[in-house]
């Protein structure tokens, strides 16, 4: 990452909000890129629908005249969850391919973080597929709580690896900013004791200001960080690490899904792997 960081967001302006990647045909079924874009798009919208239903049912569940609506929302949420499991059946192969590609990265920390993340996600998809087989009656004797816990742990591990990679990106940029500031302070034209852009070289305030500037100037890194932090709410609650409620999980899920849809609509906003 000494040269160009994977989070470089040069030219990240939004194109037309279209999830089809074919520049020639809208709704093209012939080009491989168009076919690959459809499944993530469908999954993203299904995920957004699932968590929207969770959030809405939580907000109105205590209203006596909304019981039927709450029941319908929960049924739709369950249907979206089952549908997503079916669509994700082949994702274990993609995760393994991504892990193999990440293992060839030159930098040690991103290589370890991304490889670990993709392998954990592959294990998560295996557990997810087993749970789907049980839900459709093909594996009725499967221990659902055990497999659900394993799936959650794998997903949690994948998110931690992603967050470690995000922090590495932030640390790298903080280090670059510190070096640039020190070079300017040592230059002949700068007066002694002058602050750079109103930011001092030490202290919590300086750190927060630099962090804000870094995230502001790198939308892909900011979006990836927000998405990973939002996705943590579910595993933290399921594993009992930090208990919350369906409203918080639903809100975080909706926000994470919107970020995912945004990065699909504008690939420049997706943090490069």
């Amino acid at each position: 990452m000494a040269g160009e960081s994977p989070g470089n967001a040069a030219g990240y302006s939004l194109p037309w909000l279209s999830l089809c990647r074919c520049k020639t045909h809208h709704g093209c079924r012939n080009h491989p890129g168009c076919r690959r874009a459809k499944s993530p798009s469908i999954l993203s919208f299904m995920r957004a629908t699932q968590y929207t239903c969770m959030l809405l049912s939580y907000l109105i569940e205590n209203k006596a005249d909304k019981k039927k609506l709450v029941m319908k929302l929960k049924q739709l949420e369950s249907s979206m969850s089952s549908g997503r499991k079916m669509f994700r059946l082949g994702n274990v192969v993609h995760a393994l391919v991504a892990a193999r590609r990440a293992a060839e990265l030159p930098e040690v920390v991103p290589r370890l973080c991304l490889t670990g993340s993709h392998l954990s996600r592959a294990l998560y998809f295996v557990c997810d597929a087993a749970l789907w087989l049980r839900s459709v009656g093909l594996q009725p004797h499967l221990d659902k709580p055990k497999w659900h816990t394993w799936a959650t742990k794998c997903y949690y591990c994948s998110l931690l690896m992603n967050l470690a990679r995000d922090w590495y990106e932030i640390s790298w940029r903080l280090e670059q900013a510190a070096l640039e500031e020190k070079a300017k302070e040592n230059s002949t034209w700068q007066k002694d004791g002058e602050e750079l852009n109103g930011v001092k070289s030490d202290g919590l305030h300086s750190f927060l200001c630099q962090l804000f500037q870094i995230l502001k100037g790198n939308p892909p890194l900011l979006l990836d960080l927000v998405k990973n932090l939002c996705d943590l709410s579910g595993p933290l609650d399921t594993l009992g690490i930090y208990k919350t409620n369906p409203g918080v999980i639903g809100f975080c899920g909706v926000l994470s899904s919107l970020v995912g849809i945004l990065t699909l609509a504008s690939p420049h906003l997706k943090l490069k792997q």
Side-chain angles (χ1 to χ4, degrees), residues 167-187:
W167 178 245
Y168 176 80
E169 289 280 341
I170 293 173
S171 300
W172 182 84
R173 287 183 167 84
L174 286 173
E175 182 180 357
Q176 294 298 114
L179 291 175
E180 291 177 3
E181 182 177 347
K182 186 175 181 180
K184 289 183 179 180
E185 287 179 348
N186 293 334
S187 63

Side-chain angles (χ1 to χ4, degrees), residues 61-234:
E61 64 180 353
N62 293 327
K63 297 182 179 180
D65 58 336
K66 301 293 184 180
K67 290 185 177 180
K68 290 185 178 180
L69 178 58
V70 171
M71 185 178 300
K72 290 181 179 179
L73 286 172
K74 290 185 176 181
Q75 289 175 350
L76 180 58
E77 176 191 338
S78 178
S79 299
M80 291 295 103
S81 178
S82 299
R84 288 176 59 212
K85 284 181 170 61
M86 182 183 67
F87 273 100
R88 290 198 301 250
L89 288 178
N91 282 2
V92 61
V93 177
H94 297 294
L96 291 175
V97 171
R100 181 180 178 182
R101 186 168 58 246
E104 299 174 354
L105 292 174
E107 293 287 338
V108 177
V109 176
R111 181 168 68 242
L112 292 177
C113 291
L114 290 177
T115 302
S117 173
H118 291 309
L119 289 177
S120 298
R121 192 168 291 268
L123 293 174
Y124 162 72
F125 287 137
V126 171
C127 298
D128 198 54
L131 290 170
W132 179 80
L133 290 175
R134 185 190 185 281
S135 67
V136 297
L138 296 178
Q139 291 290 338
H141 303 296
L142 189 74
D143 190 343
K144 182 177 179 180
K146 180 188 294 185
W147 281 85
H148 182 65
T149 301
W150 286 350
T152 305
K153 288 181 178 179
C154 292
Y155 184 50
Y156 179 61
C157 181
S158 175
L159 290 175
L160 291 181
M161 292 292 99
N162 287 338
L163 285 171
R165 185 271 178 104
D166 289 341
W167 178 245
Y168 176 80
E169 289 280 341
I170 293 173
S171 300
W172 182 84
R173 287 183 167 84
L174 286 173
E175 182 180 357
Q176 294 298 114
L179 291 175
E180 291 177 3
E181 182 177 347
K182 186 175 181 180
K184 289 183 179 180
E185 287 179 348
N186 293 334
S187 63
T188 56
W189 55 266
Q190 187 170 16
K191 297 180 181 179
D192 294 336
E194 183 181 0
E195 294 177 4
L196 179 62
N197 295 327
V199 179
K200 295 182 180 180
S201 60
D202 55 358
L204 179 61
H205 181 264
S206 172
F207 170 78
L208 293 177
C209 288
Q210 286 186 348
L211 180 61
F212 173 78
Q213 292 297 329
I214 286 172
L215 294 178
K216 180 182 177 181
N218 296 274
L221 180 57
L222 173 62
L223 292 175
D224 194 69
L225 181 63
V226 169
K227 187 177 188 305
N228 288 325
L229 288 175
C230 288
D231 288 340
L232 271 181
S233 60

